[in-house]
Amino acid sequence: MRLGLNIGFVYGGDDHLDHLRLAKEAEALGYSVTWAAEAYGSDAATLLSWIAAQTTTIDVGSAVFQIPARTPAMAAMTAATLDRLSNGRFRLGLGVSGPQVSEGWHGVRFSQPLLRTREYVDIVNKALRRETVSYDGNYFTLPLPDGPGKALKLTVRPIRDHVPVYLAAVGPKNLELAGEIADGWLGILNDPGFLGEQLAHIRTGRAARRADDHESTDTLDGFDVVVSTPLVTGDDVQAAADPVRGYAALYVGGMGSREKNFYNQLAVRMGYAEEAQQIQDLYLDKLHREAMAAVPFGFLDGISLLGGKERIADKLTAYAEAGATTVAVTPFASTVEQRIADLRTAAEALELSGAGH
């Protein structure tokens, strides 16, 4: 099992410089990858390009490029360019986003997301293989019929023969799709006690893929299971959980509408149905502090790395035993100096656990 770093977004000021310091420290500590995200602010591609230019060994990955934000051809162009500029260090994470961002920000209807994702990844892979791309799908048709367009081939060559594709997936069917068509899964709100149920869906998808390849096993060999975890160190575990409350309340309570919040549904499947309802009601009523207070400590502890080095080592062991192959940490400390210290603690904890060997 390897460690990764989530650096999130750029908001303004000098936070991009903090992200770079964290990425360089993670590289020095042997972390395998730095992931950058996008929502409706900073884009991931620009930030990753900037970080790749100032590092040498750590991979850079999109977590995620939003599918409604780019045509599949544009995603392939960006992936190939980043792979070449980083000397083969790019990982392409994709996600369909949610109805509010897809329709409100990008003006793309959020309909049949599984089918749209399948077609999107098909086209991206064809383009990255530098095939002449033609496609006749339900959502994508290349080239357009009865017009001047013609099938084209990507002109830039990625460094590698295959740029790894990851899918961000939450629901059972989307997990199956990730197992079937992707090289890895980008998880969120990951509790090692629930990871087995999620990986069962991924194995179902892998089995379908291998059946197509005339293989009978549902093994996850070669498939990167990336769990995302907040990281807060300290002797007082209850206090260490408090900085994670806003993050958890946002996802469970406010990420989407009352009718469609994938993360709230995930919390329900994890056994927190009553609490998830209460958090959502409070959050949507704009009682954000109350929503944060309503997040159970057990939920926060389950999805996070909290406490001292020995406690974090035990949790990393639990993730490894549950099937994680990469633990992507998000340091939640208020200063960059403390976040750097926490990255070091996590690296020491992984060594202590033996899960990285």
Side-chain angles (χ1 to χ4, degrees):
M1 190 174 71
R2 304 288 301 278
L3 291 174
L5 167 67
N6 287 322
I7 56 173
F9 313 99
V10 171
Y11 291 103
D14 290 334
D15 60 350
H16 62 291
L17 300 177
D18 293 345
H19 291 329
L20 180 61
R21 286 185 63 187
L22 289 170
K24 287 185 171 182
E25 181 65 25
E27 180 175 57
L29 291 168
Y31 282 54
S32 62
V33 59
T34 295
W35 299 99
E38 61 185 21
Y40 43 93
S42 60
D43 75 291
T46 306
L47 179 56
L48 291 172
S49 180
W50 186 68
I51 287 175
Q54 299 176 84
T55 53
T56 56
T57 59
I58 193 168
D59 282 7
V60 291
S62 56
V64 295
F65 283 171
Q66 297 171 325
I67 285 176
R70 299 169 180 83
T71 66
M74 186 69 241
M77 291 164 60
T78 304
T81 306
L82 278 167
D83 193 60
R84 176 147 291 279
L85 296 180
S86 67
N87 196 30
R89 291 186 286 136
F90 179 64
R91 306 185 192 185
L92 176 58
L94 297 169
V96 77
S97 190
Q100 290 187 331
V101 172
S102 183
E103 299 191 9
W105 186 244
H106 297 300
V108 175
R109 293 291 181 194
F110 191 81
S111 60
Q112 294 185 285
L114 295 178
L115 180 58
R116 181 188 294 273
T117 301
R118 181 185 294 276
E119 292 188 4
Y120 195 98
V121 172
D122 279 347
I123 297 169
V124 166
N125 281 330
K126 284 171 70 75
L128 289 173
R129 290 193 299 265
R130 300 191 69 248
E131 299 176 9
T132 300
V133 178
S134 61
Y135 199 83
D136 185 15
N138 289 276
Y139 284 95
F140 300 101
T141 302
L142 294 170
L144 291 174
D146 304 320
K150 65 177 183 178
L152 299 171
K153 181 170 69 174
L154 188 66
T155 60
V156 59
R157 290 181 180 271
I159 292 290
R160 291 165 296 175
D161 292 335
H162 177 70
V163 176
V165 173
Y166 291 69
L167 283 188
V170 177
K173 290 299 182 182
N174 211 9
L175 289 167
E176 289 183 21
L177 184 66
E180 182 182 352
I181 70 172
D183 303 294
W185 168 51
L186 298 171
I188 193 170
L189 304 182
N190 294 121
D191 186 324
F194 188 69
L195 192 58
E197 180 172 326
Q198 294 170 302
L199 293 187
H201 296 295
I202 291 177
R203 284 191 174 91
T204 298
R206 296 295 284 179
R209 174 176 179 165
R210 292 178 180 275
D212 289 341
D213 295 336
H214 306 291
E215 300 179 27
S216 59
T217 179
D218 64 353
T219 178
L220 293 183
D221 289 349
F223 187 87
D224 194 9
V225 176
V226 183
V227 298
S228 178
T229 62
L231 169 65
V232 186
T233 64
D235 295 331
D236 187 336
V237 179
Q238 293 279 344
D242 286 340
V244 186
R245 290 188 175 278
Y247 160 83
L250 170 63
Y251 275 88
V252 175
M255 195 68 77
S257 64
R258 193 179 301 277
E259 294 73 26
K260 188 166 289 189
N261 179 327
F262 304 121
Y263 309 100
N264 186 280
Q265 294 165 11
L266 172 59
V268 171
R269 292 194 296 274
M270 292 169 67
Y272 293 94
E274 183 177 339
E275 295 90 339
Q277 181 67 61
Q278 181 186 16
I279 294 164
Q280 185 178 64
D281 288 343
L282 290 168
Y283 202 96
L284 295 182
D285 286 341
K286 300 189 183 305
L287 299 172
H288 297 161
R289 291 184 181 275
E290 291 82 352
M292 291 164 58
V295 181
F297 171 77
F299 182 82
L300 297 169
D301 192 30
I303 66 168
S304 307
L305 297 173
L306 304 176
K309 179 171 62 177
E310 291 76 14
R311 193 174 194 272
I312 291 172
D314 289 342
K315 186 64 169 290
L316 290 172
T317 298
Y319 274 123
E321 291 176 347
T325 54
T326 301
V327 175
V329 302
T330 305
F332 268 63
S334 58
T335 67
V336 67
E337 288 77 15
Q338 185 58 52
R339 293 197 292 273
I340 288 173
D342 289 349
L343 290 182
R344 293 172 184 158
T345 298
E348 293 169 358
L350 181 62
E351 183 175 2
L352 178 64
S353 74
H357 299 300

